[in-house]
Amino acid sequence: MYPMPIKSLRSLWPAGLVVAAVSSLLLPVSASAAPPPPLPGPGPAAAAYDCSRTEGPWNCLAQCESTGRWHVNTGNGFYGGLQFKQSTWVEHGGLKYAPRADLATKKEQIKVAEEVLRNQGWKAWPVCSKKIPKEIREGHVVVHVVKAGETLSSIARRYKVRGGWQALYQANRKAVGSRPDELDVGTKLVIQKKTVPAAAGSGG
């Protein structure tokens, strides 16, 4: 059987339908068919966890565990910024602060976390602790918050930074910006702890 002539089609179908039917016959398959959905498979690799050295280990850990939500309770059996199990919270003295971790303050949660760290080590947070830079996890850096009147030179002298203000600037170039002579009050400078004299604290 031969296809019906287009002239005969016009007599049976409205003009718009004829055009659509003819177009579907003339278009190549690749142009008319929608592409098939992608096959299931593994998603893109997770981005490496980027934690600012100025935030300290507990803030970094909370960013990974709960996106920094210290009072979160999603109903998954873990509570607070560091996602304590209730049994862990109880066993490490959390009840003197609040019935659950999400009901305690950030400072109180960190106090309990320090107890957990002493007893269990970082393995208490097996996934997120590995994403925190080692120097943060092991406390090898100190943060200095710039006060009015301070310069990179005065800070470098105070902490006896090897290489002087130039080395301090290179280590904190992103925070300081392109003008090391214009140090903004409140800027957080990260200093390797091995360069810090025993008498100096971590503050200004």
Side-chain angles (χ1 to χ4, degrees):
M1 179 184 291
Y2 293 99
M4 185 178 292
I6 291 177
K7 200 173 202 181
S8 302
L9 284 171
R10 284 202 191 104
S11 64
L12 297 175
W13 291 352
L17 292 177
V18 171
V19 172
V22 173
S23 298
S24 67
L25 292 173
L26 296 178
L27 284 173
V29 173
S30 61
S32 59
L39 294 175
Y49 182 57
D50 181 20
C51 178
S52 167
R53 292 181 300 168
T54 64
E55 295 303 317
W58 299 118
N59 282 325
C60 290
L61 192 64
Q63 282 297 326
C64 178
E65 291 283 351
S66 64
T67 62
R69 296 174 295 166
W70 288 91
H71 301 290
V72 69
N73 175 8
T74 62
N76 64 352
F78 296 87
Y79 306 96
L82 302 173
Q83 291 292 275
F84 290 95
K85 288 172 63 176
Q86 182 63 16
S87 58
T88 303
W89 181 254
V90 172
E91 289 166 9
H92 292 85
L95 291 181
K96 66 182 176 183
Y97 301 118
R100 290 194 317 264
D102 59 300
L103 302 175
T105 67
K106 172 183 172 180
K107 186 176 181 180
E108 291 166 346
Q109 291 180 50
I110 289 174
K111 285 182 179 179
V112 177
E114 288 169 345
E115 288 297 320
V116 175
L117 182 62
R118 274 190 281 272
N119 291 333
Q120 300 181 19
W122 288 108
K123 66 182 181 181
W125 299 273
V127 176
C128 284
S129 66
K130 292 178 182 178
K131 298 181 181 181
I132 299 173
K134 185 178 179 181
E135 62 180 4
I136 297 295
R137 219 168 49 232
E138 299 183 356
H140 293 326
V141 296
V142 66
V143 178
H144 177 91
V145 180
V146 175
K147 292 182 172 59
E150 290 185 319
T151 65
L152 287 176
S153 294
S154 68
I155 296 168
R157 284 195 301 270
R158 173 182 175 179
Y159 290 99
K160 299 181 180 178
V161 176
R162 185 178 301 172
W165 74 265
Q166 294 93 336
L168 183 60
Y169 175 54
Q170 287 302 320
N172 294 275
R173 192 182 188 101
K174 185 175 180 180
V176 173
S178 60
R179 296 294 303 273
D181 56 323
E182 296 180 359
L183 197 56
D184 293 332
V185 173
T187 300
K188 293 178 180 179
L189 303 178
V190 177
I191 304 170
Q192 291 294 320
K193 214 167 189 178
K194 63 184 179 181
T195 68
V196 179
S202 62

